[in-house]
Amino acid sequence: MDIRPATVEDAERINALCETLGYPATLEETEARIERVMKRESDGILVAELCNMVVGFVTYHVVDVVHDGTPWGRISAIAVDENFRDMSIGKQLLENAEAQLKRNHCLRIEVTSHISREEAHGFYLHLGYRITPLRFIKLLAQRMLVAAS
């Protein structure tokens, strides 16, 4: 297996993986999003490729904050094809994203997971993340989200 930076050519598989998370989009929307993230020097998308097929991805971001002397890392998405979830691909993707964030001087990493994704919660806890129970969200515009169960 190879973990490498994503390219726009990976958009079709990334798009399919996002849909399994409940975030459907057109291929063109996903291509534009990949380009937007990859333009930022400190942010990125890594893909796991197995036999020339993308089987997972992780998106990471460096967030500069005024209240801390170092930036914070953020994992905004991680998905692995359900047919390959018993191969530690998610763990390897997350470790590679953590290494990238560490290179960008992040001393803490934040990841969020929908309350219904209990399997993902166990995954993060097993890898040393801890639960911080409060997060407040205000939608500034309405849009249709399809939650995967």
Side-chain angles (χ1 to χ4, degrees), residues 92-124:
Q92 292 176 59
L93 281 166
L94 197 56
E95 287 172 347
N96 276 266
E98 289 171 357
Q100 291 293 332
L101 291 167
K102 204 171 187 180
R103 279 194 272 288
N104 281 283
H105 311 289
C106 297
L107 298 181
R108 70 186 289 163
I109 299 171
E110 166 186 81
V111 61
T112 58
S113 180
H114 192 274
I115 197 163
S116 67
R117 298 186 197 278
E118 293 179 15
E119 187 177 332
H121 305 166
F123 168 75
Y124 293 121

Side-chain angles (χ1 to χ4, degrees), residues 1-3 11-12 21 25 51 54 73 75 81 91 99 113 129 141:
M1 183 185 62
D2 185 34
I3 294 182
E12 188 173 338
L21 295 176
C51 299
V54 171
I75 304 295
D81 185 305
K91 179 181 183 213
S113 180
Y129 287 77

